[in-house]
Amino acid sequence: QITLKESGPTLVKPTQTLTLTCTVSGFSLSTNGVGVAWIRQPPGKALEWLALVHWDDDKRYSPSLKSRLTMTKDTSKNQVVLTMTNMDPADTATYYCAHHVSNAYYLDYWGPGILVTVSS
Amino acid sequence: SYELTQPPSVSVSPGQTSSITCSGDNLGDKYASWYQQKPGQSPVLVIYQDNKRPSGIPERFSGSNSGNTATLTISGTQAMDEADYYCQAWGISAGVFGGGTKLTVL
């Protein structure tokens, strides 16, 4: 079955760069029509779409965060890495990765999420 | 940038029908999806491609999308349906979520 799991630091300092890894199983990152998306949710607030990488390595970023985000995909390791630069306390959130169905733009499997706190 | 608007809260009595709306410019021309999120849990897909239910989602969940509004309808709402619900669509170049609606089953 399809599973995803986020990993990375749970505490980062302001101005540092955050690097999160999404490790997937049950599907290949090179399978036509699939992708992996990153979404975050500040405590008590709404979901926010961050970025998406398609099977063909096409990448799409949230316009408001595009300058701070980079995604890379390692098909051999079944991993997608998200980096976010210049972290701020306002970036404190639970970060999720999710399996994306490219033709119909929905997220059908989600990881458990990882809470990242930005504090000095 | 593209925006989706949801009412912050909806209340319903057990057994009644609840409707949650999601508004966006020409949303009917896009696919809308809906996610249910209970406290401390990851979101769960309940409707995709406007009106399709994933395997395992009860038949009481249904969806529609036309014009500028997508609607999630829960028929015979149960206490277990109390949760936050988010709509989602594809914006100009990235995905977009609505602000979420807290469904309270009184």
Side-chain angles (χ1 to χ4, degrees):
Chain A
Q1 79 278 20
I2 291 175
T3 64
L4 305 95
K5 187 170 184 179
E6 307 84 355
S7 60
T10 57
L11 178 65
V12 298
K13 291 179 169 34
T15 75
Q16 287 187 336
T17 293
L18 172 68
T19 299
L20 295 174
T21 300
C22 178
T23 302
V24 309
S25 64
F27 72 99
S28 171
L29 294 172
S30 60
T31 298
N32 192 319
V34 305
V36 172
W38 284 95
I39 304 98
R40 71 178 179 179
Q41 184 174 38
K45 296 188 177 182
L47 300 170
E48 179 182 16
W49 188 291
L50 298 179
L52 165 68
V53 58
H54 292 283
W55 81 97
D56 59 1
D57 213 34
D58 179 31
K59 302 179 181 74
R60 303 299 173 103
Y61 298 100
S62 165
S64 62
L65 292 168
K66 185 175 183 178
S67 63
R68 298 175 54 203
L69 296 174
T70 303
M71 285 181 83
T72 59
K73 178 165 66 76
D74 188 330
T75 301
S76 64
K77 293 184 178 179
N78 294 322
Q79 291 181 335
V80 175
V81 175
L82 176 76
T83 61
M84 179 180 291
T85 60
N86 195 24
M87 293 293 284
D88 182 89
D91 296 313
T92 293
T94 296
Y95 288 75
Y96 298 98
C97 62
H99 178 270
H100 180 264
V101 178
S102 297
N103 291 339
Y105 307 108
Y106 61 88
L107 304 164
D108 54 354
Y109 296 91
W110 293 63
I114 181 170
L115 175 60
V116 177
T117 301
V118 184
S119 174
S120 56
Chain B
S1 61
Y2 193 75
E3 295 184 358
L4 296 174
T5 301
Q6 299 180 234
S9 62
V10 168
S11 298
V12 65
S13 299
Q16 298 302 302
T17 296
S18 52
S19 295
I20 300 173
T21 58
C22 174
S23 299
D25 286 345
N26 297 313
L27 180 55
D29 293 339
K30 308 174 187 293
Y31 280 135
S33 306
W34 291 91
Y35 304 85
Q36 176 194 70
Q37 187 181 33
K38 297 182 179 180
Q41 298 182 17
S42 300
V44 173
L45 179 71
V46 294
I47 293 291
Y48 68 98
Q49 287 185 273
D50 298 338
N51 54 21
K52 295 181 170 61
R53 277 181 296 105
S55 173
I57 299 302
E59 289 185 8
R60 62 179 181 274
F61 287 85
S62 63
S64 63
N65 185 16
S66 179
N68 295 320
T69 303
T71 303
L72 173 69
T73 302
I74 309 173
S75 304
T77 307
Q78 300 183 9
M80 68 172 65
D81 300 329
E82 186 164 287
D84 293 327
Y85 290 84
Y86 294 91
C87 60
Q88 177 251 313
W90 189 258
I92 296 174
S93 61
V96 178
F97 288 99
T101 298
K102 182 175 183 59
L103 177 66
T104 301
V105 183
L106 301 171

